[in-house]
Amino acid sequence: MAQCVQSVQELIPDSFVPCVAALCSDEAERLTRLNHLSFAELLKPFSRLTSEVHMRDPNNQLHIIKNLKIAVSNIITQPPQPGAIRKLLNDVVSGSQPAEGLVANVITAGDYDLNISATTPWFESYRETFLQSMPASDHEFLNHYLACMLVASSNEVEPMEQFSKLSQEQHRIQHNNDYSYPKWFIPNTLKYYVLLHDVSAGDEQRAESIYEEMKQKYGTQGCYLLKINSRTSNRASDEQIPDPWSQYLQKSSIQNQESYEDGPCTITSNKNSDSNLLSLDGLDNEVKVDGLPNNFRAHPLQLDQSSDPSNSIDGPDHVKSASSLHETKKANTGIIHGACLTLTDHDRIRQFIQEFTFRGLLPHIEKTIRQLNDQLISRKGLSRSLFSATKKWFSGSKVPEKSINELKNTSGLLYPPEAPELQIRKMADLCFLVQHYDLAYSCYHTAKKDFLNDQAMLYAAGALEMAAVSAFLQPGAPRPYPAHYMDTAIQTYRDICRNMVLAERCVLLSAEILKSQSKYSEAAALLIRLTSEDSDLRSALLLEQAAHCFINMKSPMVRKYAFHMILAGHRFSKAGQKKHALRCYCQAMQVYKGKGWSLAEDHINFTIGRQSYTLRQLDNAVSAFRHILINESKQSAAQQGAFLREYLYVYKNVSQLSPDGPLPQLPLPYINSSATRVFFGHDRRPADGEKQAATHVSLDQEYDSESSQQWRELEEQVVAVVNKGIIPSSFYPTQYCLNSYSDNSRFPLAVVEEPITVEVAFRNPLKVPLLLTDLSLLWKFQPKDFSGKDNEEVKELITGEPKMIGTEVISEFLINSEESKVARLKLFPHHIGELHILGVVYNLGTIQGSMTVDGIGALPGCHTGKHSLGMSVRGRQDLEIQGPRLNNTKEEKTSIKYGPDRRLDPIITEEMPLLEVFFIHFPTGLLCGEIRKAYVEFVNVSKCPLTALKVVSKRPEFFTFGGNTAVLTPLSPSASENCSAYKTVVTDSTSVCTALTSSASSVDFGIGIGSQPEVIPVPLPDTVLLPGASVQLPMWLRGPDEEGVHEINFLFYYESVKKQPKIRHRILRHTAVICTSRSLNVRATVCRSNSLEDEEGRGGNMLVFVDVENTNTSEAGVKEFHIVQVSSSSKHWKLQNSVNLAENKEAKLASREKGKFCFKAVRCKEKEAAVQSSERYTFADIIFGNEQIISSASPCADFFYRSLSSELKKSQAQLSLHTEKHSIEDAVRLIQKCSEVDLNIIILWKAYVVEDSKQLILEGQHHVILRTIGKEAFSYPQKQELPEMELLKFFRPENTAVSSRPSVDQLSNLIKTSLHYPESFNHPFHQKSLCLVPVTLLLSNCSKADVDVIVDLRHKTTSPEALEIHGSFTWLGQTQYKLQLKSQEIHSLQLKACFVHTGVYNLGTPRVFAKLSDQVTVFETSQQNSMPALIIINNM
């Protein structure tokens, strides 16, 4: 039980006090009425004695009484009505609530920290009122009247006569059989005569004389002159007199039922017999509504005549008095009590009570106890007083007590008033009232035995109850508290006598006693035992006290406490005590919260919500319902639906209270704020026939960090080109879509009149669908002028104002049960300024009839399409995004700090141009190397002109807009006939297999010195695209050389003609996906021609071998490939003619066929080379058909230059890897140059394809870049084979200096040698045995430096195989020559070979050593001749 203000030793004596009746004359009542008090109320604050009182017991021992209190009440001739008592108790409990600033106890039990109210004042008020309002009954005398005060006023005409009238009235009430109520203790009740004197208005002398007369008539002990009203009430009082009455009058006792205006008393006759007075078991027989008896709906004390027949009233007087009492009560609230009394008057009243008790009441009680004691001794025929008798009863001849169940129900047995058993009980009660507990215990014990012998169970239970209390209160505690007496008494009252009121009194007293002995467990069990269905209020209070018992145990039982608090809350709720119910549930919630008992939590929250709503604590109600919905609920769908509807209903009421207040925050659906994405710009247009819009950026694309990095690099590349190679410090990559991966630390820039789309990720945690209606974004906007100063006033515009920002509203958005769904909401900014997107605003509702029952769908009448909306409320949810955690400085690493995330705070800037790009006839599949012509349409859809349009791509070799020459050269008619992408010229048949040359500069094709080949300016006419204008440009595409699927990223860059301070440029992205299939593989090698003389007489011819293989597996329906032309492009070399036979004019390759071509290449003429700038290339075309493709024009040259530049990039990258540490010495460089050649071969082909029984002709080109003599080159990228794993070697770095020696290959190309001799030589050996053959050795210096050459003829072929094949011969004459060859000089040596017989001989034996003139000998190496020089010697 909770702590109480009074200890049990104070509580019990205060609950059982001597009762005194008061009977006043009208005039006396009028005097007290001036103070707004009745006479009994006037005395109430002073009814406790301030000093100890002494009296003597029957054995003449002195007995001290401490803190004695007496109860004075006006006579009521009606027993209190059970309904009225219930109403009073209900009011007392509901009127007593925990104080506002009450500090609760914090109890720590295990891992629980509970805030619990330590005291329960409502329970104490209930208990006090309950004990005070107990109706007097015949089996006990504790609350029977011991004395009666007869009060008259000194103003009366005949005061003495008035006294005798009052005396007769009292006698009539007590002894006339018409009145069974009130009850009187003994027949000769003490009468005490009080004369009231009004000091301010009355005649003091007259009062004194009347008092003298009274003393003579009634004796000095029996009368008193009480002077009151020392001042008039209307005079403004200087001194503030305290008001001790208010605290008593609030608990207006049930005994003050009589009316104040109707004379001395309201007497109504009650013809019911006495037997009905014990029928208090029918307390709650009435029908209940909301836990309250329905008969209180009309009037608090007007009883329903038909509902309780035992309490029916004859006359209307009582009803009148009740209503007047009610009105008086209502009026009493603002009244000052005791307004005519001074502090002296207070002391006089206190003195009067003292006198009455000392002189009148206690002597009367003492005399009565003696009389009863004598009576008992004589009546029982006992020789000694009760004291000795009790000893005898205790020691021996004990009658065995029968168990309660054996006793038959004899509660109806009534003793006559003069029965000796009742006299014992009377004496016991008197001793108890004057705190003589030893004697009281003895008497109760005796009476208990007598009653049990007579099987008068009601009497026995009363004696047991009081015996137990007396035993507990005995000073010095001679015996332990007999709890079993109480248990028996409770059981008897409840089960046999069916009297719950008396049983309840036992429980209240016993529980207090047990609590005082710290027997909390027993106290709790006792309290719980008396909870029953007949009274919810009692059950609630007892359950709450039981809960407090559990929490106050030595080891607190927290969960038991919570469980019983819930039960108490439930019963409070049934009893209509909503505030107490709410409090109980809230206290229990502390235990259940956060422990995973989700269903219990839901139940408690639901109840708290409902009770708070009933009490109009709407905010509490909302938060409780919110908890049910936002925790991951384990409830069934139907239950969740009920919770949601309840929540919406409460919410609606809250919002109706303050319709203009801020929108409430809604708990559903969940919003994943970090997943919010913001997109700036229009939605992409769908494909329109052959037109395909650029993919750009959209919310449908998944974020890919790799691709976003690529786009960023492309943008940096183009910005660097525009800004002359430097990326400006203010540059920031354009972000059209912001998400949790993007960098959101800066305020994003949006353009006025372009929509902003916010994608909000919703999740519905419930098993019922949620319907959001009128869903839109909530924003705040500050209009600004970025060009000049800010506006003087910054207008805050919260939602609305469509002139500034247009808001899109989604009329219905349905989220199914447990579904995650995104909503895309748009804003249309019409003004520049700062926009802050705060959150979303919507109506939250449910769908009516959407509950599916056992898998049967929605109920009929639920029309599809527009959902029929149940209840809905309008509210908002904020989008609050936490930025990334900072981790740069030491301070940030050690603490948890988050950076800003500004994706929802865009700055709206001035108008910018907006480009849309459409691709027309854009292919999705190509052959490797295939050339296709498509068109690109550029449209400016904004109101600003755009300029500086560029496109950047990582794969510039894939497409071209044509070079500068493309616009100038009109398409030849033949090209348009064949729909060829190339520029062609018809040729005559004579020029077949001979090269036709032309030249072009790479600068024309955008491949200049130091230029970025990836950044391509788009050739707009006038370089400006006006608002609304569109331009179509041709675009040639070439299928990439590797087969497979290629994603090619284009980034279009453009600027506004008017420079904007915030946004310098804009971009548009496009990703083209091309699938390529295999076509031709081309390999080529170049080697030196052995013939040294050409038409110019200068050396340096080359042979070019080209192998073409058709690798197409005809899956694309390709029948055959025709090689239509082979062209060369070089700064120094050109193809001269085809060495192949002329018959093979048609170069066709069917599937898997291979063809070989051989061409002669010559150096370009000096004068040609001199004219050419370093960037001019000579193109030479060798034609196999009858049409020449001009290879130096677009698009052939474009793609050639593109592939060349990308190849150069690769080789530069490789070179840079090698040359980082060691710069190669000049000498080595010179030697290397000899073996280098820069000849590029372009193979142009046509493919014949059958598709849908139509024949198509596809065309394309492959490039082979020849760099080194003798090394094979390929048109397709070679897969590099991974080197085999080697053992790991550890070495010291000093020794790794690489000697910069040229390789053997490079040195062998320094000098080119050629032997000139007759193929066969006839010699008559029979005439001359030695055959001499003249041989010329030509030495040609291939390098640009002077070379020292040593020719050594002494070398013999040593290998035996060579000897077998070729015979042996000898060189005659000088065996070694030393020469110096100038740059590119040719020198001839005349040699003689000597043979001795016929045969085939290899003349290639001279060894040639070469070194650069200014170098040391380390470079000398043998010049290996590639081919054997065979000579046949014949005999003639």
Side-chain angles (χ1 to χ4, degrees):
M1 290 173 79
Q3 298 166 11
C4 292
V5 181
Q6 285 181 306
S7 70
V8 67
Q9 280 83 3
E10 297 166 331
L11 168 76
I12 296 175
D14 273 7
S15 304
F16 300 101
V17 293
C19 293
V20 180
L23 202 51
C24 304
S25 69
D26 286 358
E27 187 58 31
E29 191 67 33
R30 189 186 67 74
L31 289 182
T32 58
R33 273 267 144 248
L34 294 170
N35 296 295
H36 302 295
L37 297 165
S38 70
F39 179 72
E41 286 169 345
L42 182 72
L43 305 183
K44 216 166 206 160
F46 312 102
S47 59
R48 189 187 292 282
L49 301 187
T50 50
S51 55
E52 289 182 352
V53 196
H54 298 205
M55 63 172 281
R56 291 192 177 275
D57 63 18
N59 288 349
N60 226 11
Q61 299 289 320
L62 194 65
H63 170 60
I64 298 168
I65 307 169
K66 296 178 179 171
N67 274 336
L68 182 65
K69 181 180 167 191
I70 62 169
V72 182
S73 56
N74 295 350
I75 290 180
I76 301 172
T77 56
Q78 281 273 289
Q81 307 269 322
I85 294 173
R86 269 203 311 279
K87 167 77 173 79
L88 177 71
L89 292 174
N90 230 327
D91 292 346
V92 164
V93 174
S94 60
S96 173
Q97 297 292 340
E100 281 299 315
L102 187 71
V103 181
N105 274 17
V106 176
I107 293 181
T108 304
D111 52 354
Y112 295 96
D113 286 331
L114 307 178
N115 272 4
I116 292 169
S117 53
T119 59
T120 48
W122 48 92
F123 172 69
E124 290 171 51
S125 305
Y126 170 86
R127 188 177 57 199
E128 185 185 334
T129 310
F130 171 80
L131 292 170
Q132 277 178 12
S133 63
M134 291 236 13
S137 58
D138 284 346
H139 77 289
E140 64 179 18
F141 306 95
L142 290 160
N143 52 0
H144 291 195
Y145 286 133
L146 276 165
C148 181
M149 291 179 180
L150 304 170
V151 189
S153 162
S154 60
N155 294 0
E156 309 257 1
V157 186
E158 289 290 344
M160 296 308 282
E161 195 184 316
Q162 188 65 45
F163 277 126
S164 54
K165 268 190 193 168
L166 290 170
S167 180
Q168 287 162 17
E169 183 69 47
Q170 188 276 330
H171 189 273
R172 195 167 66 82
I173 291 171
Q174 182 172 355
H175 298 290
N176 189 335
N177 282 338
D178 288 348
Y179 297 104
S180 59
Y181 203 87
K183 308 278 184 193
W184 302 90
F185 210 103
I186 43 176
N188 56 337
T189 304
L190 168 69
K191 291 176 181 171
Y192 195 76
Y193 299 89
V194 182
L195 183 66
L196 269 187
H197 174 62
D198 188 325
V199 178
S200 59
D203 180 351
E204 189 135 347
Q205 281 180 341
R206 179 165 185 252
E208 289 293 348
S209 67
I210 295 167
Y211 182 45
E212 285 304 321
E213 203 178 329
M214 286 166 67
K215 280 200 279 193
Q216 285 169 9
K217 186 174 178 181
Y218 306 121
T220 53
Q221 307 286 326
C223 55
Y224 194 81
L225 169 63
L226 177 57
K227 297 177 179 178
I228 58 166
N229 296 359
S230 299
R231 59 178 190 163
T232 55
S233 60
N234 53 10
R235 197 184 65 212
S237 57
D238 302 330
E239 53 177 337
Q240 188 67 42
I241 304 287
D243 175 6
W245 292 274
S246 52
Q247 55 178 332
Y248 294 99
L249 293 178
Q250 278 169 0
K251 306 169 183 171
S252 70
S253 165
I254 200 79
Q255 283 139 356
N256 296 347
Q257 269 191 28
E258 91 282 5
S259 131
Y260 302 129
E261 294 93 339
D262 281 7
C265 56
T266 308
I267 298 164
T268 59
S269 58
N270 185 346
K271 299 185 180 56
N272 289 331
S273 64
D274 278 353
S275 64
N276 271 334
L277 288 173
L278 290 170
S279 68
L280 288 166
D281 50 331
L283 279 189
D284 276 8
N285 286 344
E286 299 88 11
V287 183
K288 294 187 183 174
V289 182
D290 282 352
L292 276 180
N294 66 353
N295 51 358
F296 284 126
R297 295 269 163 158
H299 191 284
L301 290 175
Q302 177 182 343
L303 296 178
D304 187 344
Q305 303 290 322
S306 61
S307 68
D308 200 347
S310 65
N311 295 323
S312 62
I313 300 161
D314 284 341
D317 298 339
H318 184 79
V319 179
K320 180 167 183 266
S321 71
S323 63
S324 57
L325 166 71
H326 183 60
E327 263 126 44
T328 328
K329 235 176 95 182
K330 271 212 288 207
N332 275 355
T333 48
I335 287 169
I336 300 168
H337 303 290
C340 302
L341 303 176
T342 60
L343 288 176
T344 319
D345 291 338
H346 290 199
D347 291 339
R348 285 180 186 141
I349 298 170
R350 204 173 278 115
Q351 186 63 38
F352 159 62
I353 296 285
Q354 209 93 334
E355 283 290 317
F356 165 71
T357 314
F358 284 19
R359 301 275 178 84
L361 186 61
L362 283 179
H364 175 67
I365 292 174
E366 196 176 318
K367 188 175 81 182
T368 310
I369 291 176
R370 279 178 195 282
Q371 281 174 357
L372 287 167
N373 192 36
D374 296 345
Q375 221 174 328
L376 288 171
I377 290 168
S378 63
R379 180 126 355 136
K380 285 267 183 183
L382 302 172
S383 53
R384 271 157 283 127
S385 78
L386 264 169
F387 277 121
S388 52
T390 50
K391 287 194 182 97
K392 193 176 97 189
W393 291 329
F394 273 115
S395 56
S397 66
K398 219 175 181 189
V399 180
E401 290 184 12
K402 299 175 185 162
S403 88
I404 253 187
N405 299 334
E406 290 169 24
L407 297 170
K408 41 185 204 300
N409 183 359
T410 52
S411 58
L413 172 65
L414 291 176
Y415 289 101
E418 61 283 348
E421 290 85 355
L422 287 189
Q423 306 310 314
I424 301 180
R425 171 73 208 227
K426 258 183 196 176
M427 180 174 164
D429 285 349
L430 268 178
C431 294
F432 190 86
L433 289 173
V434 292
Q435 304 175 8
H436 202 318
Y437 298 119
D438 294 349
L439 188 49
Y441 178 76
S442 307
C443 295
Y444 285 131
H445 202 275
T446 310
K448 173 201 75 160
K449 288 199 159 181
D450 291 347
F451 294 141
L452 282 174
N453 286 337
D454 296 340
Q455 295 203 346
M457 295 315 297
L458 179 63
Y459 295 90
L464 279 165
E465 173 190 3
M466 297 316 291
V469 175
S470 307
F472 171 72
L473 289 173
Q474 276 177 338
R479 55 177 62 79
Y481 167 62
H484 60 289
Y485 278 16
M486 271 297 195
D487 294 345
T488 310
I490 294 167
Q491 203 173 341
T492 309
Y493 281 144
R494 194 183 63 184
D495 300 340
I496 296 174
C497 308
R498 307 257 175 239
N499 191 326
M500 293 303 284
V501 176
L502 293 168
E504 182 177 354
R505 181 179 70 186
C506 283
V507 166
L508 292 176
L509 297 175
S510 184
E512 274 302 326
I513 293 169
L514 290 168
K515 187 186 82 171
S516 71
Q517 298 174 334
S518 296
K519 294 181 177 171
Y520 287 110
S521 182
E522 292 88 334
L526 194 62
L527 292 160
I528 293 166
R529 249 171 71 197
L530 205 70
T531 56
S532 62
E533 286 307 310
D534 64 332
S535 169
D536 288 314
L537 182 64
R538 179 185 71 232
S539 302
L541 288 158
L542 297 185
L543 282 165
E544 185 182 8
Q545 293 306 309
H548 279 283
C549 288
F550 289 124
I551 203 75
N552 285 323
M553 287 181 177
K554 195 173 278 178
S555 53
M557 301 172 84
V558 181
R559 288 194 294 276
K560 245 182 169 151
Y561 160 79
F563 182 62
H564 285 85
M565 273 310 229
I566 294 286
L567 294 176
H570 175 62
R571 297 304 284 269
F572 270 130
S573 177
K574 281 174 76 177
Q577 298 281 351
K578 304 291 184 194
K579 284 188 181 172
H580 287 295
L582 178 60
R583 181 182 47 71
C584 289
Y585 274 102
C586 290
Q587 299 227 318
M589 187 59 178
Q590 300 177 77
V591 176
Y592 291 108
K593 193 161 62 182
K595 292 285 185 291
W597 295 31
S598 61
L599 296 177
E601 260 188 89
D602 286 352
H603 169 74
I604 297 171
N605 270 318
F606 185 65
T607 314
I608 288 176
R610 275 217 154 148
Q611 298 288 12
S612 303
Y613 176 69
T614 316
L615 294 167
R616 309 309 290 162
Q617 298 177 9
L618 296 177
D619 290 344
N620 286 359
V622 165
S623 73
F625 281 120
R626 186 188 178 97
H627 275 293
I628 308 178
L629 295 174
I630 61 177
N631 295 334
E632 296 294 329
S633 175
K634 296 187 174 65
Q635 301 283 5
S636 67
Q639 192 64 48
Q640 287 185 358
F643 285 163
L644 181 60
R645 283 192 295 278
E646 193 94 14
Y647 171 75
L648 294 176
Y649 177 70
V650 173
Y651 229 117
K652 210 168 183 65
N653 287 25
V654 175
S655 53
Q656 279 165 2
L657 286 182
S658 54
D660 304 329
L663 279 175
Q665 292 279 348
L666 293 174
L668 290 172
Y670 290 178
I671 291 181
N672 181 359
S673 289
S674 62
T676 305
R677 299 195 295 164
V678 185
F679 175 68
F680 301 100
H682 296 277
D683 291 341
R684 179 173 168 247
R685 287 197 203 168
D688 173 20
E690 288 291 327
K691 268 194 188 186
Q692 179 195 346
T695 52
H696 196 42
V697 186
S698 80
L699 285 170
D700 299 325
Q701 296 165 0
E702 289 293 315
Y703 174 81
D704 175 17
S705 58
E706 212 172 301
S707 72
S708 66
Q709 180 58 29
Q710 281 180 15
W711 288 116
R712 184 185 175 133
E713 285 168 9
L714 286 174
E715 189 176 355
E716 282 175 0
Q717 212 170 343
V718 68
V719 169
V721 168
V722 169
N723 291 285
K724 305 188 172 51
I726 302 152
I727 296 179
S729 57
S730 62
F731 167 75
Y732 190 66
T734 309
Q735 297 189 120
Y736 282 110
C737 184
L738 302 179
N739 51 31
S740 49
Y741 306 105
S742 54
D743 175 7
N744 305 324
S745 56
R746 297 163 56 119
F747 291 104
L749 299 175
V751 178
V752 71
E753 303 298 346
E754 288 186 22
I756 299 169
T757 309
V758 179
E759 182 182 88
V760 183
F762 289 112
R763 181 168 76 82
N764 177 6
L766 301 184
K767 299 185 178 80
V768 289
L770 295 176
L771 183 62
L772 311 187
T773 52
D774 298 341
L775 170 64
S776 62
L777 289 171
L778 198 61
W779 46 267
K780 185 171 79 174
F781 183 67
Q782 297 174 334
K784 288 229 173 110
D785 182 12
F786 292 118
S787 52
K789 313 181 295 297
D790 284 6
N791 292 0
E792 296 309 313
E793 46 157 356
V794 173
K795 284 186 290 191
E796 289 272 325
L797 294 171
I798 310 281
T799 62
E801 254 338 280
K803 278 182 281 188
M804 293 288 181
I805 307 282
T807 309
E808 180 193 43
V809 177
I810 296 178
S811 60
E812 280 195 0
F813 187 74
L814 178 69
I815 312 174
N816 286 319
S817 57
E818 297 179 332
E819 181 189 21
S820 296
K821 193 172 176 183
V822 294
R824 291 182 185 166
L825 298 156
K826 287 200 173 95
L827 291 178
F828 301 93
H830 303 311
H831 198 284
I832 59 172
E834 289 175 14
L835 178 64
H836 302 280
I837 298 165
L838 307 174
V840 286
V841 57
Y842 54 92
N843 296 326
L844 171 65
T846 55
I847 303 172
Q848 279 183 335
S850 64
M851 295 309 309
T852 51
V853 188
D854 301 333
I856 309 159
L859 302 177
C862 221
H863 58 291
T864 49
K866 277 289 205 197
H867 308 285
S868 75
L869 181 64
M871 185 177 297
S872 72
V873 292
R874 187 141 188 88
R876 64 185 280 181
Q877 273 201 71
D878 292 343
L879 289 171
E880 287 164 354
I881 304 175
Q882 188 178 53
R885 183 166 171 192
L886 301 174
N887 202 19
N888 300 326
T889 63
K890 186 183 177 189
E891 184 194 354
E892 286 169 359
K893 283 176 182 168
T894 49
S895 62
I896 296 178
K897 283 190 176 175
Y898 292 93
D901 190 301
R902 302 212 165 98
R903 67 182 102 156
L904 294 174
D905 303 317
I907 293 172
I908 314 296
T909 64
E910 293 164 27
E911 274 194 312
M912 283 290 288
L914 185 61
L915 176 72
E916 281 192 3
V917 177
F918 298 97
F919 296 89
I920 302 162
H921 301 309
F922 200 88
T924 52
L926 291 172
L927 294 172
C928 292
E930 182 189 340
I931 305 273
R932 191 78 69 84
K933 186 176 187 178
Y935 287 90
V936 194
E937 186 174 13
F938 298 97
V939 188
N940 181 354
V941 293
S942 67
K943 295 179 181 164
C944 308
L946 66 86
T947 184
L949 178 56
K950 294 178 170 45
V951 60
V952 60
S953 172
K954 282 266 188 289
R955 305 282 293 270
E957 66 275 13
F958 170 67
F959 68 100
T960 177
F961 290 107
N964 300 353
T965 55
V967 190
L968 311 175
T969 48
L971 289 175
S972 53
S974 58
S976 59
E977 274 165 33
N978 299 341
C979 300
S980 169
Y982 291 114
K983 182 183 174 193
T984 56
V985 177
V986 180
T987 54
D988 52 341
S989 54
T990 52
S991 62
V992 169
C993 300
T994 319
L996 304 167
T997 58
S998 58
S999 73
S1001 167
S1002 62
V1003 182
D1004 289 344
F1005 295 93
I1007 317 288
I1009 305 162
S1011 75
Q1012 281 268 22
E1014 287 95 343
V1015 180
I1016 300 156
V1018 177
L1020 287 178
D1022 308 331
T1023 69
V1024 173
L1025 196 57
L1026 295 172
S1030 69
V1031 169
Q1032 269 195 23
L1033 293 176
M1035 180 187 211
W1036 287 273
L1037 308 171
R1038 176 175 181 271
D1041 287 319
E1042 303 112 278
E1043 67 164 332
V1045 178
H1046 302 268
E1047 277 196 7
I1048 297 161
N1049 291 339
F1050 298 93
L1051 184 129
F1052 294 94
Y1053 165 102
Y1054 57 99
E1055 296 172 9
S1056 174
V1057 173
K1058 191 174 88 180
K1059 291 281 174 275
Q1060 297 287 10
K1062 291 268 180 194
I1063 306 182
R1064 298 282 176 86
H1065 67 271
R1066 299 193 82 176
I1067 59 167
L1068 176 72
R1069 303 174 181 180
H1070 176 62
T1071 303
V1073 180
I1074 297 284
C1075 181
T1076 53
S1077 45
R1078 286 189 265 184
S1079 56
L1080 298 178
N1081 270 0
V1082 184
R1083 335 161 113 199
T1085 44
V1086 61
C1087 57
R1088 286 219 167 90
S1089 157
N1090 269 358
S1091 63
L1092 279 180
E1093 67 280 340
D1094 54 6
E1095 58 267 32
E1096 300 297 318
R1098 300 212 53 79
N1101 292 357
M1102 299 269 201
L1103 289 179
V1104 180
F1105 296 96
V1106 180
D1107 289 7
V1108 183
E1109 183 188 357
N1110 176 358
T1111 56
N1112 186 283
T1113 50
S1114 74
E1115 70 264 7
V1118 181
K1119 283 204 304 190
E1120 56 185 7
F1121 285 90
H1122 289 217
I1123 310 300
V1124 290
Q1125 182 172 316
V1126 176
S1127 303
S1128 71
S1129 168
S1130 168
K1131 293 182 194 173
H1132 307 295
W1133 296 87
K1134 63 182 182 188
L1135 292 183
Q1136 193 181 33
N1137 56 8
S1138 167
V1139 184
N1140 288 35
L1141 300 173
E1143 291 89 80
N1144 187 8
K1145 187 181 173 188
E1146 287 285 302
K1148 291 183 193 171
L1149 293 174
S1151 181
R1152 291 288 170 193
E1153 282 187 349
K1154 208 182 230 186
K1156 200 177 185 83
F1157 298 87
C1158 180
F1159 303 99
K1160 182 177 173 186
V1162 295
R1163 274 188 193 277
C1164 298
K1165 298 189 173 78
E1166 277 299 325
K1167 59 175 184 289
E1168 283 176 19
V1171 173
Q1172 288 169 358
S1173 71
S1174 62
E1175 293 301 319
R1176 261 194 113 65
Y1177 284 75
T1178 302
F1179 288 82
D1181 303 337
I1182 294 179
I1183 304 152
F1184 292 101
N1186 55 358
E1187 221 174 26
Q1188 178 196 358
I1189 296 172
I1190 299 174
S1191 56
S1192 58
S1194 285
C1196 181
D1198 295 85
F1199 288 117
F1200 158 68
Y1201 282 125
R1202 297 267 153 96
S1203 67
L1204 185 66
S1205 70
S1206 64
E1207 196 66 34
L1208 278 170
K1209 260 179 125 172
K1210 284 181 200 161
S1211 57
Q1212 276 169 358
Q1214 287 171 355
L1215 269 178
S1216 64
L1217 287 177
H1218 293 307
T1219 57
E1220 267 174 4
K1221 285 183 185 155
H1222 311 284
S1223 61
I1224 297 174
E1225 295 163 35
D1226 297 348
V1228 180
R1229 187 78 202 92
L1230 280 168
I1231 292 171
Q1232 278 179 353
K1233 270 195 145 161
C1234 298
S1235 59
E1236 279 180 11
V1237 60
D1238 63 334
L1239 180 61
N1240 308 295
I1241 305 293
I1242 304 170
I1243 313 289
L1244 294 126
W1245 50 263
K1246 282 185 180 170
Y1248 291 86
V1249 179
V1250 177
E1251 196 176 278
D1252 302 337
S1253 70
K1254 285 203 301 245
Q1255 179 163 312
L1256 301 177
I1257 300 178
L1258 307 179
E1259 48 196 354
Q1261 63 188 60
H1262 281 78
H1263 312 122
V1264 184
I1265 295 168
L1266 293 166
R1267 290 266 171 272
T1268 313
I1269 295 174
K1271 193 172 171 188
E1272 196 168 26
F1274 304 90
S1275 68
Y1276 51 95
Q1278 291 300 299
K1279 291 195 179 93
Q1280 291 197 341
E1281 288 184 16
L1282 291 169
E1284 287 181 20
M1285 289 183 71
E1286 294 176 1
L1287 289 175
L1288 197 59
K1289 293 177 187 162
F1290 296 92
F1291 49 80
R1292 292 171 69 181
E1294 301 85 283
N1295 307 342
T1296 59
V1298 179
S1299 66
S1300 51
R1301 284 186 64 141
S1303 67
V1304 177
D1305 280 353
Q1306 289 166 343
L1307 287 171
S1308 68
N1309 287 325
L1310 204 58
I1311 301 288
K1312 184 172 156 184
T1313 59
S1314 178
L1315 287 167
H1316 284 236
Y1317 55 89
E1319 267 180 46
S1320 64
F1321 193 83
N1322 296 334
H1323 179 71
F1325 279 104
H1326 56 276
Q1327 292 177 8
K1328 205 173 183 182
S1329 59
L1330 288 182
C1331 168
L1332 298 182
V1333 179
V1335 178
T1336 307
L1337 172 64
L1338 282 180
L1339 299 170
S1340 166
N1341 177 4
C1342 296
S1343 75
K1344 295 272 172 85
D1346 296 357
V1347 180
D1348 292 351
V1349 183
I1350 298 173
V1351 181
D1352 191 357
L1353 301 177
R1354 291 171 299 183
H1355 171 60
K1356 292 278 180 285
T1357 309
T1358 51
S1359 63
E1361 301 92 36
L1363 284 175
E1364 281 173 24
I1365 300 167
H1366 320 298
S1368 175
F1369 73 98
T1370 320
W1371 293 105
L1372 300 182
Q1374 194 174 334
T1375 57
Q1376 195 177 45
Y1377 298 88
K1378 281 193 179 174
L1379 317 163
Q1380 186 177 45
L1381 297 181
K1382 297 271 183 277
S1383 164
Q1384 293 190 338
E1385 184 190 341
I1386 299 175
H1387 187 83
S1388 64
L1389 284 176
Q1390 301 300 328
L1391 307 177
K1392 276 193 182 131
C1394 172
F1395 303 90
V1396 291
H1397 48 70
T1398 59
V1400 178
Y1401 296 90
N1402 179 9
L1403 295 180
T1405 59
R1407 289 177 70 194
V1408 180
F1409 296 89
K1411 76 177 181 72
L1412 296 180
S1413 302
D1414 50 356
Q1415 294 293 324
V1416 283
T1417 54
V1418 289
F1419 288 136
E1420 289 203 15
T1421 182
S1422 165
Q1423 293 285 329
Q1424 291 302 321
N1425 214 343
S1426 54
M1427 294 179 179
L1430 298 181
I1431 187 168
I1432 303 168
I1433 305 293
N1434 298 322
N1435 192 4
M1436 54 185 273

